């Protein structure tokens, strides 16, 4: 996909971190930007940041939605069509959470929360949007689906089980979509970053009340350590530009931290 101006992008997790960076980059490329996130305060701040970044207020649509909830996600998709006049030409699913601890101590809540956001929301979005995108745009105009996975997709670790498994599944799924969408003149891209300067170190603070039974050691100290690690990560706008370049070049897999020349 090469032409973005005047089209619609839908970014999940768009109120923070990588998702907000992507919203800025594709908004700057002339797209109308819908950002979907579960946190209203973060959405309010993100809308202001997008305006300050130069995106027109009427081109910004913040949507408060728990993307693991299919009815809520479907309602958000309906809202985009109502406000922007059609489904997104570009779907970027970036919402994610993490929680780390010994795999053998994991609870069902640990798996349900991490895989619910990192994998199931991606499935929800693909099933809700792709048929609408095909109906509206196939053979008429370019459209694309993208997902933010992680380098974790390629690394299994004793403390990263649910996260790595979800990210690996997302990668695999995007290869299926890349193949499936080709006949419609569309494609798929999966972004696998290493470390991003984002707010994911605070994810545990927003874990839903019904999934709080964790088997891991979660404390202000562990969150502080995560925040310190992520503070050294790539800038979200820079990462958004890398994703854009990947989509423009029709790449399925985009590995921002892979530098074979080094
Ligand atoms: P972030 O915490 O800054 O942004 C993630 C957003 O997802 C948050 O605004 C959060 O409210 C939203 N979210 C969480 N659960 C949701 C739900 N049920 N419904 C709607 N929105 C929900 O974190 P970051 O780092 O920007 O994460 C973006 C993606 O990048 C995630 O998929 C993450 O796994 C991935 N990633 C992050 C890395 C990092 O170092 N931070 C490295 C590699 C991948």
């Amino acid at each position: 996909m090469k032409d973005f101006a005047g089209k619609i992008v839908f970014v999940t997790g768009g109120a923070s971190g990588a998702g907000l960076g992507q919203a800025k980059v594709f908004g700057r490329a002339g797209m109308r930007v819908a950002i979907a996130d579960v946190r209203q305060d973060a959405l309010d701040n993100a809308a202001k940041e997008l305006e300050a970044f130069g995106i027109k207020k009427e081109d910004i649509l913040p949507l408060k939605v728990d993307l693991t909830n299919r009815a809520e996600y479907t309602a958000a998709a309906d809202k985009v069509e109502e406000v922007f006049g059609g489904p997104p030409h570009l779907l970027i699913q970036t919402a994610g959470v993490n929680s780390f601890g010994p795999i053998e101590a994991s609870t069902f809540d640990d798996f349900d929360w991490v895989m619910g956001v990192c994998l199931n929301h991606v499935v929800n979005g693909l099933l809700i949007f792709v048929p609408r995108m095909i109906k509206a745009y196939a053979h008429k105009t370019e459209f694309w689906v993208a997902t933010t996975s992680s380098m974790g997709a390629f690394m299994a670790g004793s403390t990263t089980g649910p996260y790595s498994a979800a990210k690996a599944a997302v990668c695999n799924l995007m290869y299926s979509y890349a193949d499936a969408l080709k006949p419609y003149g569309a494609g798929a891209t999966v972004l696998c970053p290493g470390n991003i300067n984002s707010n994911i170190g605070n994810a545990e603070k927003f874990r839903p009340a019904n999934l709080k039974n964790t088997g891991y050691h979660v404390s202000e100290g562990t969150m502080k350590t995560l925040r310190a690690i992520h503070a050294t990560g790539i800038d979200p706008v820079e990462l958004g530009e890398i994703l854009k370049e990947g989509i423009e070049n029709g790449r399925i897999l985009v590995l921002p931290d892979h530098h074979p020349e080094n």
Side-chain angles (χ1 to χ4, degrees), residues 1-4 21-22 25-26 28-29 31 90 92 142 144 146 188-191 234 236-259:
M1 180 170 178
K2 292 195 190 301
D3 295 324
F4 301 102
Q22 291 156 354
V25 165
F26 288 97
R28 182 161 65 188
M31 299 191 91
L90 175 58
I92 309 178
E142 288 178 307
W144 210 264
T189 296
V190 58
L191 177 69
I234 188 171
V237 170
E238 195 185 324
L239 184 64
E241 289 292 353
I242 292 170
L243 174 63
K244 180 165 169 281
E245 197 259 337
I247 293 172
E248 283 166 340
N249 287 290
R251 282 198 207 103
I252 302 175
L253 182 65
V254 176
L255 292 168
D257 297 289
H258 182 58
H259 304 292

Side-chain angles (χ1 to χ4, degrees), residues 124-170:
N124 291 345
L126 291 165
L127 269 61
I128 290 165
F129 275 124
V130 167
R132 297 179 190 218
M133 294 163 93
I134 290 173
K135 191 167 173 213
Y137 305 128
H139 311 298
K140 285 182 227 151
T141 185
E142 288 178 307
F143 65 102
W144 210 264
V145 296
T147 302
T148 304
S149 174
S150 166
M151 281 296 282
F154 311 104
M155 293 180 263
S158 65
T159 60
T160 64
Y163 185 77
S164 295
K167 294 299 185 182
V170 161

